Short mmCIF file of all heavy atoms in Angstrom, two decimals:
data_model
loop_
_atom_site.label_atom_id
_atom_site.label_comp_id
_atom_site.label_asym_id
_atom_site.label_seq_id
_atom_site.Cartn_x
_atom_site.Cartn_y
_atom_site.Cartn_z
N THR A 180 -1.67 -3.08 -7.84
CA THR A 180 -2.08 -4.23 -7.02
C THR A 180 -3.59 -4.21 -6.90
O THR A 180 -4.20 -3.16 -6.74
CB THR A 180 -1.41 -4.23 -5.63
OG1 THR A 180 -1.95 -5.30 -4.85
CG2 THR A 180 -1.59 -2.92 -4.90
N SER A 181 -4.22 -5.38 -6.96
CA SER A 181 -5.68 -5.45 -6.97
C SER A 181 -6.27 -5.23 -5.57
O SER A 181 -7.47 -5.15 -5.40
CB SER A 181 -6.15 -6.80 -7.53
OG SER A 181 -5.53 -7.84 -6.80
N GLY A 182 -5.38 -5.15 -4.56
CA GLY A 182 -5.87 -4.85 -3.20
C GLY A 182 -6.71 -5.96 -2.61
O GLY A 182 -7.67 -5.71 -1.88
N ILE A 183 -6.39 -7.20 -2.98
CA ILE A 183 -7.18 -8.36 -2.50
C ILE A 183 -6.43 -9.13 -1.41
O ILE A 183 -7.00 -9.57 -0.43
CB ILE A 183 -7.50 -9.31 -3.68
CG1 ILE A 183 -8.42 -8.61 -4.68
CG2 ILE A 183 -8.09 -10.62 -3.20
CD1 ILE A 183 -8.58 -9.37 -6.00
N VAL A 184 -5.13 -9.31 -1.61
CA VAL A 184 -4.36 -10.21 -0.74
C VAL A 184 -3.95 -9.50 0.56
O VAL A 184 -3.38 -8.41 0.54
CB VAL A 184 -3.13 -10.74 -1.50
CG1 VAL A 184 -2.24 -11.56 -0.59
CG2 VAL A 184 -3.58 -11.59 -2.68
N GLU A 185 -4.29 -10.16 1.66
CA GLU A 185 -3.92 -9.65 3.00
C GLU A 185 -2.58 -10.25 3.41
O GLU A 185 -2.23 -11.32 2.93
CB GLU A 185 -5.00 -10.07 4.02
CG GLU A 185 -6.38 -9.48 3.76
CD GLU A 185 -6.42 -7.96 3.93
OE1 GLU A 185 -5.40 -7.37 4.36
OE2 GLU A 185 -7.45 -7.37 3.62
N PRO A 186 -1.81 -9.58 4.27
CA PRO A 186 -2.13 -8.31 4.92
C PRO A 186 -1.84 -7.06 4.09
O PRO A 186 -2.19 -5.96 4.49
CB PRO A 186 -1.24 -8.35 6.16
CG PRO A 186 -0.05 -9.18 5.75
CD PRO A 186 -0.58 -10.19 4.78
N ALA A 187 -1.24 -7.21 2.88
CA ALA A 187 -0.86 -6.03 2.08
C ALA A 187 -2.07 -5.14 1.79
O ALA A 187 -1.99 -3.92 1.79
CB ALA A 187 -0.21 -6.48 0.77
N ALA A 188 -3.23 -5.78 1.56
CA ALA A 188 -4.42 -5.01 1.17
C ALA A 188 -4.88 -4.06 2.27
O ALA A 188 -5.56 -3.07 2.01
CB ALA A 188 -5.55 -5.97 0.79
N SER A 189 -4.48 -4.36 3.52
CA SER A 189 -4.91 -3.50 4.64
C SER A 189 -3.87 -2.44 5.01
O SER A 189 -4.09 -1.67 5.94
CB SER A 189 -5.22 -4.37 5.87
OG SER A 189 -6.30 -5.21 5.56
N PHE A 190 -2.75 -2.38 4.29
CA PHE A 190 -1.74 -1.35 4.63
C PHE A 190 -2.36 0.04 4.47
O PHE A 190 -2.14 0.93 5.28
CB PHE A 190 -0.52 -1.49 3.71
CG PHE A 190 0.33 -2.71 3.98
CD1 PHE A 190 1.38 -3.02 3.13
CD2 PHE A 190 0.10 -3.54 5.06
CE1 PHE A 190 2.20 -4.14 3.36
CE2 PHE A 190 0.89 -4.65 5.30
CZ PHE A 190 1.94 -4.95 4.45
N VAL A 191 -3.14 0.23 3.40
CA VAL A 191 -3.67 1.58 3.13
C VAL A 191 -4.65 2.01 4.22
O VAL A 191 -4.62 3.16 4.68
CB VAL A 191 -4.30 1.68 1.72
CG1 VAL A 191 -5.51 0.75 1.57
CG2 VAL A 191 -4.66 3.11 1.36
N SER A 192 -5.47 1.07 4.70
CA SER A 192 -6.44 1.46 5.74
C SER A 192 -5.71 1.76 7.05
O SER A 192 -6.17 2.54 7.87
CB SER A 192 -7.50 0.37 5.95
OG SER A 192 -6.88 -0.86 6.22
N ARG A 193 -4.54 1.17 7.22
CA ARG A 193 -3.75 1.42 8.45
C ARG A 193 -3.26 2.87 8.49
O ARG A 193 -3.08 3.45 9.53
CB ARG A 193 -2.56 0.45 8.50
CG ARG A 193 -1.72 0.52 9.76
CD ARG A 193 -0.55 -0.45 9.73
NE ARG A 193 0.33 -0.31 10.88
CZ ARG A 193 0.44 -1.22 11.85
NH1 ARG A 193 -0.31 -2.31 11.81
NH2 ARG A 193 1.26 -1.04 12.87
N VAL A 194 -3.03 3.47 7.33
CA VAL A 194 -2.45 4.83 7.31
C VAL A 194 -3.48 5.89 6.92
O VAL A 194 -3.29 7.07 7.13
CB VAL A 194 -1.24 4.91 6.35
CG1 VAL A 194 -0.19 3.88 6.71
CG2 VAL A 194 -1.65 4.78 4.89
N ALA A 195 -4.62 5.42 6.33
CA ALA A 195 -5.62 6.39 5.83
C ALA A 195 -6.08 7.30 6.97
O ALA A 195 -6.17 6.88 8.11
CB ALA A 195 -6.80 5.65 5.23
N GLY A 196 -6.32 8.57 6.63
CA GLY A 196 -6.77 9.52 7.66
C GLY A 196 -5.60 10.25 8.26
O GLY A 196 -5.69 11.39 8.68
N ARG A 197 -4.42 9.61 8.24
CA ARG A 197 -3.24 10.25 8.84
C ARG A 197 -2.23 10.61 7.76
O ARG A 197 -1.44 11.52 7.87
CB ARG A 197 -2.62 9.25 9.84
CG ARG A 197 -1.38 9.74 10.55
CD ARG A 197 -0.80 8.66 11.46
NE ARG A 197 -0.53 7.40 10.77
CZ ARG A 197 0.46 7.22 9.88
NH1 ARG A 197 1.19 8.24 9.53
NH2 ARG A 197 0.66 6.06 9.31
N ALA A 198 -2.24 9.81 6.66
CA ALA A 198 -1.27 10.04 5.56
C ALA A 198 -2.06 10.20 4.25
O ALA A 198 -3.19 9.72 4.13
CB ALA A 198 -0.32 8.85 5.46
N TRP A 199 -1.40 10.92 3.29
CA TRP A 199 -2.00 10.96 1.95
C TRP A 199 -1.87 9.56 1.34
O TRP A 199 -0.86 8.88 1.60
CB TRP A 199 -1.24 11.94 1.06
CG TRP A 199 -1.42 13.37 1.46
CD1 TRP A 199 -0.52 14.17 2.07
CD2 TRP A 199 -2.60 14.15 1.29
NE1 TRP A 199 -1.04 15.41 2.31
CE2 TRP A 199 -2.32 15.44 1.85
CE3 TRP A 199 -3.87 13.92 0.76
CZ2 TRP A 199 -3.27 16.46 1.86
CZ3 TRP A 199 -4.80 14.94 0.77
CH2 TRP A 199 -4.50 16.19 1.32
N THR A 200 -2.88 9.16 0.56
CA THR A 200 -2.80 7.81 -0.03
C THR A 200 -3.14 7.91 -1.52
O THR A 200 -4.18 8.47 -1.90
CB THR A 200 -3.82 6.87 0.65
OG1 THR A 200 -5.11 7.49 0.60
CG2 THR A 200 -3.45 6.61 2.11
N ILE A 201 -2.25 7.42 -2.34
CA ILE A 201 -2.44 7.49 -3.80
C ILE A 201 -2.38 6.08 -4.36
O ILE A 201 -1.53 5.27 -3.95
CB ILE A 201 -1.30 8.31 -4.46
CG1 ILE A 201 -1.27 9.75 -3.93
CG2 ILE A 201 -1.46 8.34 -5.98
CD1 ILE A 201 -0.15 10.62 -4.53
N TYR A 202 -3.29 5.78 -5.32
CA TYR A 202 -3.22 4.51 -6.03
C TYR A 202 -2.88 4.77 -7.49
O TYR A 202 -3.45 5.67 -8.11
CB TYR A 202 -4.54 3.71 -5.94
CG TYR A 202 -4.40 2.41 -6.73
CD1 TYR A 202 -3.63 1.37 -6.22
CD2 TYR A 202 -4.94 2.26 -8.01
CE1 TYR A 202 -3.42 0.20 -6.94
CE2 TYR A 202 -4.75 1.11 -8.74
CZ TYR A 202 -3.97 0.08 -8.20
OH TYR A 202 -3.75 -1.06 -8.94
N VAL A 203 -1.96 3.99 -8.04
CA VAL A 203 -1.60 4.12 -9.47
C VAL A 203 -1.86 2.78 -10.16
O VAL A 203 -1.30 1.75 -9.77
CB VAL A 203 -0.11 4.49 -9.64
CG1 VAL A 203 0.27 4.51 -11.13
CG2 VAL A 203 0.20 5.83 -9.00
N GLY A 204 -2.74 2.80 -11.15
CA GLY A 204 -3.02 1.56 -11.90
C GLY A 204 -4.22 1.78 -12.81
O GLY A 204 -4.99 2.72 -12.60
N PRO A 205 -4.39 0.90 -13.80
CA PRO A 205 -5.48 1.11 -14.77
C PRO A 205 -6.86 0.79 -14.22
O PRO A 205 -7.86 1.27 -14.73
CB PRO A 205 -5.11 0.16 -15.91
CG PRO A 205 -4.21 -0.86 -15.32
CD PRO A 205 -3.53 -0.22 -14.16
N ASP A 206 -6.94 -0.06 -13.20
CA ASP A 206 -8.26 -0.43 -12.66
C ASP A 206 -8.35 -0.07 -11.18
O ASP A 206 -7.34 -0.06 -10.48
CB ASP A 206 -8.46 -1.97 -12.76
CG ASP A 206 -8.06 -2.50 -14.13
OD1 ASP A 206 -8.63 -2.04 -15.13
OD2 ASP A 206 -7.10 -3.31 -14.18
N ASP A 207 -9.55 0.19 -10.72
CA ASP A 207 -9.72 0.48 -9.29
C ASP A 207 -9.40 -0.76 -8.47
O ASP A 207 -9.88 -1.85 -8.79
CB ASP A 207 -11.18 0.89 -9.01
CG ASP A 207 -11.44 2.34 -9.44
OD1 ASP A 207 -10.43 3.00 -9.81
OD2 ASP A 207 -12.60 2.77 -9.41
N PRO A 208 -8.60 -0.62 -7.41
CA PRO A 208 -8.31 -1.78 -6.56
C PRO A 208 -9.50 -2.08 -5.65
O PRO A 208 -10.39 -1.22 -5.50
CB PRO A 208 -7.12 -1.33 -5.75
CG PRO A 208 -7.27 0.16 -5.66
CD PRO A 208 -7.92 0.59 -6.96
N ALA A 209 -9.54 -3.23 -5.05
CA ALA A 209 -10.68 -3.63 -4.18
C ALA A 209 -10.74 -2.73 -2.95
O ALA A 209 -11.80 -2.51 -2.39
CB ALA A 209 -10.51 -5.08 -3.77
N ASN A 210 -9.60 -2.16 -2.55
CA ASN A 210 -9.56 -1.30 -1.34
C ASN A 210 -9.52 0.17 -1.72
O ASN A 210 -8.97 1.00 -1.00
CB ASN A 210 -8.34 -1.67 -0.48
CG ASN A 210 -7.05 -1.65 -1.29
OD1 ASN A 210 -7.06 -1.35 -2.49
ND2 ASN A 210 -5.93 -1.97 -0.65
N ASP A 211 -10.15 0.53 -2.86
CA ASP A 211 -9.98 1.91 -3.37
C ASP A 211 -10.61 2.97 -2.47
O ASP A 211 -10.25 4.13 -2.52
CB ASP A 211 -10.45 2.02 -4.83
CG ASP A 211 -11.95 2.10 -4.98
OD1 ASP A 211 -12.65 1.63 -4.06
OD2 ASP A 211 -12.42 2.63 -5.99
N TYR A 212 -11.51 2.54 -1.59
CA TYR A 212 -12.17 3.49 -0.68
C TYR A 212 -11.16 4.30 0.12
O TYR A 212 -11.37 5.46 0.46
CB TYR A 212 -13.07 2.66 0.27
CG TYR A 212 -13.59 3.43 1.45
CD1 TYR A 212 -14.70 4.25 1.31
CD2 TYR A 212 -12.95 3.37 2.70
CE1 TYR A 212 -15.19 4.98 2.40
CE2 TYR A 212 -13.43 4.08 3.79
CZ TYR A 212 -14.53 4.89 3.65
OH TYR A 212 -15.01 5.61 4.71
N TYR A 213 -10.01 3.71 0.42
CA TYR A 213 -9.04 4.33 1.34
C TYR A 213 -8.04 5.26 0.65
O TYR A 213 -7.16 5.83 1.30
CB TYR A 213 -8.25 3.23 2.08
CG TYR A 213 -9.13 2.41 3.00
CD1 TYR A 213 -9.56 1.13 2.64
CD2 TYR A 213 -9.57 2.93 4.22
CE1 TYR A 213 -10.38 0.39 3.46
CE2 TYR A 213 -10.40 2.19 5.06
CZ TYR A 213 -10.81 0.94 4.67
OH TYR A 213 -11.64 0.20 5.49
N PHE A 214 -8.19 5.41 -0.68
CA PHE A 214 -7.19 6.23 -1.38
C PHE A 214 -7.67 7.68 -1.55
O PHE A 214 -8.78 7.93 -2.00
CB PHE A 214 -6.85 5.60 -2.74
CG PHE A 214 -5.99 4.34 -2.59
CD1 PHE A 214 -6.58 3.08 -2.57
CD2 PHE A 214 -4.62 4.44 -2.42
CE1 PHE A 214 -5.81 1.93 -2.39
CE2 PHE A 214 -3.83 3.30 -2.24
CZ PHE A 214 -4.42 2.04 -2.22
N THR A 215 -6.79 8.62 -1.16
CA THR A 215 -7.09 10.05 -1.34
C THR A 215 -7.18 10.36 -2.83
O THR A 215 -7.99 11.16 -3.27
CB THR A 215 -5.92 10.92 -0.77
OG1 THR A 215 -5.24 10.23 0.25
CG2 THR A 215 -6.40 12.25 -0.32
N ARG A 216 -6.32 9.74 -3.61
CA ARG A 216 -6.31 10.00 -5.06
C ARG A 216 -6.04 8.70 -5.80
O ARG A 216 -5.25 7.88 -5.33
CB ARG A 216 -5.18 10.98 -5.43
CG ARG A 216 -5.54 12.46 -5.26
CD ARG A 216 -6.56 12.93 -6.29
NE ARG A 216 -7.08 14.26 -6.04
CZ ARG A 216 -8.02 14.57 -5.16
NH1 ARG A 216 -8.53 13.63 -4.39
NH2 ARG A 216 -8.47 15.80 -5.04
N LYS A 217 -6.64 8.55 -6.98
CA LYS A 217 -6.31 7.41 -7.84
C LYS A 217 -5.87 7.97 -9.19
O LYS A 217 -6.52 8.85 -9.74
CB LYS A 217 -7.55 6.50 -8.02
CG LYS A 217 -7.82 5.64 -6.80
CD LYS A 217 -9.10 4.87 -6.97
CE LYS A 217 -10.27 5.84 -6.80
NZ LYS A 217 -11.58 5.23 -6.99
N ILE A 218 -4.71 7.52 -9.64
CA ILE A 218 -4.20 7.98 -10.94
C ILE A 218 -4.29 6.79 -11.89
O ILE A 218 -3.56 5.81 -11.76
CB ILE A 218 -2.75 8.50 -10.81
CG1 ILE A 218 -2.69 9.65 -9.80
CG2 ILE A 218 -2.23 8.95 -12.17
CD1 ILE A 218 -1.30 10.16 -9.49
N ALA A 219 -5.27 6.88 -12.81
CA ALA A 219 -5.49 5.75 -13.73
C ALA A 219 -4.40 5.76 -14.78
O ALA A 219 -4.10 6.79 -15.38
CB ALA A 219 -6.86 5.90 -14.39
#
Side-chain angles (χ1 to χ4, degrees):
T180 175
S181 54
I183 295 169
V184 174
E185 296 295 354
S189 296
F190 289 173
V191 63
S192 54
R193 184 181 175 110
V194 304
R197 179 183 55 71
W199 290 107
T200 53
I201 300 179
Y202 179 73
V203 176
D206 314 302
D207 283 353
N210 53 1
D211 78 336
Y212 168 81
Y213 294 103
F214 287 95
T215 333
R216 276 290 171 280
K217 284 175 286 178
I218 302 175

